[in-house]
Amino acid sequence: MTSLLATAQKGGFIDAAEFGFSPDATGLENVKALQKAVDQTGTIVISRPGTYKVAGTTYIGSNTTLDFGNGVVLQKVDEVGKFSHVLLNKGALTKTYDEHITIKDLVVKVNGVDLVFNEVFGLRGQIAFFYVKDLRIEGFRCYDIMPAQFGIHVCTFEDLIIDNTILKGKKDGIHLGRGNRFRISNAVFETIDDALALNAHDYATSNPELGWIENGLIENCHDLASDQKLVGYFCRILAGGWIDWKEGMEVQKADAVVSNGRIYRVNADPDGKIYKSTTRPTHTQGTKELDGIKWVMTQEDVEYVAGVRNVTFRDIYLEKPRTGFSIHFDNGKWSRSYYPGAEIPMQRQLVFDNIRVLHNGSRELLGVDTPIDAITISNSSLGNTGIKFHSNKAMKEYFPTKISISGTVFNAKGEMNLIDNSVENKIIYLKTSNSIETSEGFSAIVHNQSGKLIIDSDLTGLRD
């Protein structure tokens, strides 16, 4: 191996071809060869153009860069059975942090090899990272995302940069679980499901852990129109809350509980079935069935609420006529992210700057299902879409929300429903300033069923 490594090293780089990684090799041979190269750490280069079959996952550790040359494509193939991830960090299997990882110019062809997960419960990206610090993903491409897996999936992270991506297909493009400090920039999406998912809570099978997503910037992103059906959102911003386990409590698919200093979740079919839990889950790993309930041990650090806070969206171009941003609770057979009586999660300080609505659809720009303290919209260009507040009957209080809209162009040719509130006793403060109306017939209106709106506006229809 010493002589092989010496041959493979050229100018400080490691050439994966010297380990047998080749467009002419089988998928199994290529996975074995790439793993040998990656295990050397440092910078591994794949420079020969071509389509490289891969029949399994390559596990990448700390202090490693994978640099793919122009014309290099990794194509998933089913030689010994389907698999989930093309790349997965080594520490994902043991919940041990890997650090200083860079993936450059990777192109993945899914080729129909699409499996929800087969190694880490809830982790389902074509490239996936779990327990990672200082991760950079640059120039990633995937044009055939299938219905089961996301393009990029990262959970439990610190210091994440995703730059220059093109993601197309049937499932989420970029899907984040809990983490701190991130930037997603220069991305093009054409997805049926969410282009971006900031899912602090999630379906039980769609994130391996729960917790806050915070302190991030998402900029220069395009949600393309296409002829795909309108499912999902440009960005899902998902919160949740759960309680301590107690004897006799009723649970359903994806519910979370705290027990013995750990968080457990219900893994069940999406059939709406309600289970009564009489036996406390206490196992330290994996899944255990108790009272007919399959409990998955999710994590050992305990939180009771999760959400998104301190995130800025800037230079976002919305061509697809769907809800732009859903500030969200799940509440259905797949998941209810807020358990009745839990602590109420407050999502905080979301900023939307230079948001360009490029369609004539009527879906809301922002759909708000959760408490949020403040929403700032600035320097944007809006069509017929406004902000809609939805009610969740399990919530006892939604708290006031303050909304500032400044320097924004309003392009509707007639009435525009700027605020639509259906939350009982909800207090909303709205201030607009330096607005531009492009049509003489424009008029902003509000619908408020049973809350209270306090308005200070320069818009036609709302001015005193």
Side-chain angles (χ1 to χ4, degrees):
M1 178 59 73
T2 302
S3 60
L4 177 60
L5 178 58
T7 301
Q9 288 178 327
K10 298 176 181 179
F13 300 98
I14 294 171
D15 187 350
E18 298 295 333
F19 292 85
F21 193 64
S22 167
D24 303 319
T26 69
L28 287 174
E29 290 169 341
N30 272 337
V31 170
K32 184 177 180 180
L34 187 57
Q35 189 65 62
K36 287 181 179 178
V38 166
D39 286 343
Q40 311 309 312
T41 69
T43 299
I44 295 90
V45 175
I46 300 93
S47 59
R48 178 185 169 188
T51 298
Y52 294 71
K53 300 182 184 71
V54 290
T57 302
T58 297
Y59 303 90
I60 186 167
S62 296
N63 305 308
T64 303
T65 294
L66 266 175
D67 191 346
F68 295 87
N70 244 331
V72 173
V73 177
L74 300 194
Q75 177 178 287
K76 296 177 78 173
V77 292
D78 181 356
E79 291 181 358
V80 290
K82 289 188 175 182
F83 62 100
S84 296
H85 319 296
V86 174
L87 298 179
L88 177 67
N89 65 301
K90 294 180 178 180
L93 302 176
T94 58
K95 295 190 176 183
T96 305
Y97 278 101
D98 289 305
E99 302 184 15
H100 316 307
I101 295 174
T102 299
I103 310 298
K104 297 179 67 175
D105 297 328
L106 170 61
V107 180
V108 167
K109 187 173 182 180
V110 176
N111 192 34
V113 181
D114 193 40
L115 183 66
V116 174
F117 49 79
N118 63 341
E119 293 183 276
V120 178
F121 186 91
L123 195 67
R124 56 199 293 183
Q126 296 295 341
I127 62 173
F129 299 87
F130 180 43
Y131 278 81
V132 66
K133 298 180 180 181
D134 188 13
L135 169 65
R136 298 176 65 95
I137 301 171
E138 302 174 358
F140 180 65
R141 305 284 189 269
C142 186
Y143 300 101
D144 62 338
I145 297 171
M146 299 294 289
Q149 288 185 253
F150 314 134
I152 298 171
H153 192 179
V154 186
C155 184
T156 312
F157 66 85
E158 293 179 8
D159 304 311
L160 167 67
I161 293 176
I162 301 174
D163 184 44
N164 181 22
T165 57
I166 301 177
L167 298 168
K168 300 185 179 185
K170 298 179 179 179
K171 200 63 176 171
D172 298 4
I174 298 173
H175 191 106
L176 300 187
R178 68 173 184 159
N180 188 15
R181 298 185 300 274
F182 64 96
R183 188 186 77 208
I184 298 170
S185 54
N186 306 313
V188 175
F189 300 97
E190 191 176 305
T191 60
I192 289 181
D193 215 332
D194 307 328
L196 287 164
L198 306 183
N199 285 13
H201 191 278
D202 213 332
Y203 298 168
T205 57
S206 295
N207 254 326
E209 290 191 343
L210 308 174
W212 287 93
I213 300 173
E214 53 194 341
N215 305 323
L217 172 63
I218 296 171
E219 59 181 350
N220 191 28
C221 295
H222 299 255
D223 193 26
L224 301 187
S226 85
D227 58 357
Q228 297 171 335
K229 59 185 178 180
L230 298 180
V231 178
Y233 314 97
F234 167 70
C235 187
R236 187 186 302 259
I237 302 167
L238 185 54
W242 50 94
I243 66 173
D244 286 311
W245 181 89
K246 55 186 179 182
E247 186 175 354
M249 71 184 300
E250 293 185 339
V251 295
Q252 66 181 54
K253 178 179 174 60
D255 279 354
V257 301
V258 174
S259 176
N260 276 25
R262 304 180 187 92
I263 297 176
Y264 297 85
R265 302 198 69 188
V266 177
N267 181 24
D269 294 329
D271 55 10
K273 184 176 180 179
I274 303 296
Y275 302 84
K276 179 174 285 190
S277 180
T278 58
T279 307
R280 175 188 295 273
T282 59
H283 54 288
T284 59
Q285 61 183 357
T287 301
K288 187 172 183 178
E289 185 169 330
L290 303 168
D291 313 316
I293 305 166
K294 294 179 181 177
W295 290 104
V296 180
M297 203 293 283
T298 301
Q299 64 201 73
E300 293 185 343
D301 52 322
V302 169
E303 297 186 72
Y304 289 88
V305 293
V308 178
R309 56 195 177 197
N310 303 324
V311 174
T312 296
F313 298 84
R314 177 182 298 146
D315 302 338
I316 308 298
Y317 300 84
L318 303 175
E319 296 182 18
K320 192 167 186 176
R322 58 179 172 181
T323 297
F325 306 87
S326 184
I327 303 169
H328 196 82
F329 280 138
D330 283 327
N331 190 17
K333 65 181 182 179
W334 285 92
S335 175
R336 58 173 171 182
S337 48
Y338 178 76
Y339 191 93
E343 180 183 344
I344 298 174
M346 174 73 77
Q347 307 207 81
R348 297 184 181 276
Q349 304 290 315
L350 301 183
V351 174
F352 303 88
D353 180 56
N354 193 29
I355 309 301
R356 301 279 156 172
V357 178
L358 303 177
H359 61 78
N360 295 316
S362 58
R363 298 284 186 93
E364 59 260 27
L365 173 68
L366 275 71
V368 184
D369 294 6
T370 80
I372 180 169
D373 63 345
I375 296 170
T376 302
I377 300 172
S378 59
N379 308 313
S380 295
S381 179
L382 307 184
N384 298 316
T385 58
I387 304 171
K388 186 169 184 177
F389 289 84
H390 304 271
S391 180
N392 183 330
K393 294 181 180 179
M395 298 283 297
K396 293 183 178 180
E397 188 173 7
Y398 263 80
F399 305 105
T401 297
K402 297 183 178 180
I403 302 171
S404 171
I405 305 176
S406 63
T408 290
V409 178
F410 293 82
N411 295 299
K413 298 185 183 304
E415 288 187 343
M416 175 193 179
N417 191 4
L418 183 58
I419 302 291
D420 188 346
N421 174 51
S422 62
V423 182
E424 188 175 357
N425 299 320
K426 174 76 176 181
I427 300 174
I428 300 170
Y429 299 87
L430 171 66
K431 181 175 179 62
T432 73
S433 60
N434 299 317
S435 303
I436 298 174
E437 303 170 6
T438 61
S439 171
E440 292 184 0
F442 172 84
S443 179
I445 61 174
V446 296
H447 287 155
N448 182 39
Q449 292 186 14
S450 56
K452 181 179 182 182
L453 267 62
I454 301 168
I455 299 173
D456 178 5
S457 178
D458 60 346
L459 289 170
T460 300
L462 298 181
R463 290 193 293 262
D464 292 337

